[in-house]
Amino acid sequence: MQGVAVSASPTTELPVLVIGAGPTGLAAAAHLLERGVEPLVLEAGPAAGAAVREWSHVRLFSTWGEVVDPAAEKLLVPTGWTRPDPATYPSGGDWVEQYLQPLADVLGERVRTGARVTGVSRAGRDRIVDADREQQPFVVHVAHADGAEERLFARAVIDASGTWATPGPAGGSGLAALGEHAAADRVTYRVPDLDDPAVRARYAGKRTAVIGSGASAFTALADLADLAEAGDAAGTKGVWILRRGISGSTFGGGEADRLPARGALGLAAKAAVDQGHADAVTGFRTEAIERATDGRAVLVGEDGRRLDPVDEVIVLTGFRPDLSFLSEIRLGLDERLQAPVELAALIDPNQHSCGTVPPHGHRELSHPERGIYLVGMKSYGRAPTFLAMTGYEQVRSVAAAIADDLEAADRVELTLPETGVCGGAGLFDAPESDQSGGGCCAPAPRLVRLAPGAVAVGAAAEEAPASG
């Protein structure tokens, strides 16, 4: 096995270790190479883009023009690669096959798969030791798929491992609902691939609860509505579980969204409700998942409400970062979002959800432990509305900072599109009269009228964030 020498080489001669061979991690490697800095990318999965492969059936709401990193494209073009039509929308599978895997192939042995990072620290220094700390290289422990373990050294660490492996639970308190683990045979935390015959059979003609209020929940509701209209799936019904009330902004920015496909997802979810393919249950915070006499799942709310039994439960309540392997590193994280403190102030859904995140880079992503950066989806912690182009700008800045080009690292090279939705999530339990009426990106929301067959249970309509 090839490894990084463990001799006492000067720190600057060591590679920059990148955790995760997803879109942001591979882009980080491309930017480092562009600056003459050697990267080493470690991917826990069996192939590059392992997480994206798991949602290969889902279509992105960003176009090809927004999901290809410029530095990566410079590496790919000499191989004969051409970017797909920049105005079209790839699926996750398209993204992997036509961009991520070719990029990993160009990077070659700099990308190692089946290599899970189990710990990061400073060589010879645990978390509490100050003496000579910043002069020591980072030491990274790696577990390989064949059971072997390895210790690597790095001049800097870029953690682009994402949050896909740590989805949020069904429980309204951030903890798993009572009985959630016991009901694992009826619960999934992913958008089902209804083109797969086996998966389709699981949901066709069944009653399915969808817990969540973001783009993934919109996608699941729209897919179930399409299934309900198929000739062989009569009786398919969605039950949309919302912790808040229903308002115009519940369904996203719609036509006001600067990313049209993202706005269309919310409109499709609204159509599913309006057409009677899904019932909306509002103000419901799941406390327990119990079993009915026939084995189906019964959702029980914190307020004591018990919903009618469902055959399946799709939990799409967001994701959270895995920080366990960084326990020996001194991170500066926001106490709520688990995102870098400086970045958290820009993305906190308690304050806003407009999607208009100011461009940010190495300074907002820095920590008390110099030389380590959380980038990509993981940098947002528990906050929603992350875009691929955000991660590309982050690693462009971080790579420049690692290469000591602070002028380039501080330069702004990205403006993000607005969602068309405003208002913080922090007031979701406040009376409607206490909430701000205006918004930074769109007019005040209008109450959505549900179809006659829909169920709206809970408090008065409240302003909700773009994702949840």
Side-chain angles (χ1 to χ4, degrees):
M1 179 189 305
Q2 292 185 346
V4 176
V6 299
S7 59
S9 301
T11 300
T12 55
E13 295 181 8
L14 294 172
V16 172
L17 196 143
V18 180
I19 306 175
T24 306
L26 293 175
H31 280 279
L32 290 167
L33 278 177
E34 188 174 51
R35 292 187 165 276
V37 178
E38 190 65 21
L40 176 61
V41 184
L42 301 180
E43 167 57 50
V52 179
R53 293 173 192 270
E54 292 191 26
W55 50 269
S56 60
H57 59 290
V58 178
R59 191 159 300 280
L60 281 70
F61 52 66
S62 295
T63 64
W64 271 114
E66 296 159 336
V67 298
V68 173
D69 177 78
E73 186 169 10
K74 291 178 183 177
L75 285 180
L76 287 165
V77 168
T79 69
W81 180 89
T82 56
R83 182 195 294 201
D85 183 348
T88 60
Y89 296 88
S91 66
D94 297 333
W95 204 14
V96 169
E97 294 171 11
Q98 300 178 49
Y99 171 64
L100 297 178
Q101 188 58 57
L103 178 55
D105 293 340
V106 170
L107 291 168
E109 294 184 355
R110 296 183 179 92
V111 178
R112 298 186 189 176
T113 58
R116 180 178 298 278
V117 172
T118 58
V120 181
S121 186
R122 289 283 189 177
R125 306 288 187 274
D126 64 21
R127 184 189 183 104
I128 66 174
V129 176
D130 289 334
D132 200 31
R133 186 177 187 86
E134 290 193 1
Q135 282 64 52
Q136 304 304 313
F138 288 96
V139 59
V140 180
H141 284 205
V142 184
H144 293 274
D146 61 3
E149 295 183 322
E150 186 178 13
R151 184 176 62 168
L152 305 175
F153 292 82
R155 62 185 286 189
V157 174
I158 299 176
D159 182 358
S161 59
T163 58
W164 178 252
T166 47
S173 300
L175 304 174
L178 300 178
E180 183 171 343
H181 299 309
D185 60 321
R186 293 184 181 270
V187 179
T188 184
Y189 301 87
R190 313 294 189 217
V191 176
D193 180 4
L194 298 182
D195 288 332
D196 182 317
V199 176
R200 179 185 177 88
R202 177 175 175 176
Y203 295 94
K206 304 294 179 60
R207 181 177 168 86
T208 299
V210 177
I211 305 176
S213 60
S216 295
F218 295 163
T219 301
L221 288 166
D223 287 352
L224 289 172
D226 288 343
L227 182 61
E229 293 180 350
D232 60 345
T236 301
K237 185 78 171 184
V239 181
W240 189 15
I241 309 300
L242 289 153
R243 296 172 181 171
R244 306 174 180 88
I246 293 283
S247 78
S249 59
T250 297
F251 300 96
E255 295 178 358
D257 197 316
R258 296 285 182 85
L259 293 178
R262 180 171 59 186
L265 282 177
L267 297 178
K270 182 179 183 300
V273 174
D274 288 345
Q275 295 168 9
H277 296 311
D279 294 338
V281 181
T282 64
F284 190 93
R285 298 177 179 279
T286 307
E287 181 178 81
I289 300 179
E290 299 179 353
R291 294 280 193 175
T293 54
D294 59 2
R296 292 190 294 168
V298 176
L299 302 185
V300 182
E302 292 179 353
D303 58 4
R305 279 182 289 166
R306 300 172 62 86
L307 304 185
D308 291 339
V310 294
D311 300 282
E312 302 290 342
V313 180
I314 303 174
V315 181
L316 300 169
T317 56
F319 297 86
R320 52 189 59 177
D322 176 9
L323 302 168
S324 60
F325 59 87
L326 300 175
S327 61
E328 294 304 316
I329 293 295
R330 298 173 178 180
L331 300 176
L333 299 176
D334 179 76
E335 61 187 8
R336 292 163 296 182
L337 298 187
Q338 296 178 297
V341 172
E342 295 297 323
L343 175 59
L346 306 178
I347 62 175
D348 188 352
N350 285 290
Q351 305 300 325
H352 63 83
S353 59
C354 293
T356 313
V357 179
H360 57 275
H362 73 108
R363 296 193 186 277
E364 292 81 6
L365 298 169
S366 63
H367 295 275
E369 191 85 66
R370 292 184 59 187
I372 187 162
Y373 302 92
L374 275 58
V375 301
M377 190 73 183
K378 190 166 186 175
S379 72
Y380 270 42
R382 300 190 182 201
T385 66
F386 180 82
L387 297 173
M389 63 183 82
T390 301
Y392 296 160
E393 171 66 3
Q394 288 177 342
V395 296
R396 181 204 64 78
S397 173
V398 166
I402 291 173
D404 294 323
D405 185 353
L406 293 183
E407 180 183 355
D410 290 335
R411 191 164 55 237
V412 172
E413 296 188 4
L414 173 68
T415 300
L416 295 175
E418 296 176 350
T419 65
V421 178
C422 297
L427 300 178
F428 60 76
D429 283 327
E432 187 174 7
S433 60
D434 291 342
Q435 299 184 38
S436 58
C440 54
C441 334
R446 292 174 298 171
L447 183 66
V448 172
R449 297 190 180 278
L450 299 181
V455 179
V457 183
E462 299 160 334
E463 191 167 307
S467 185

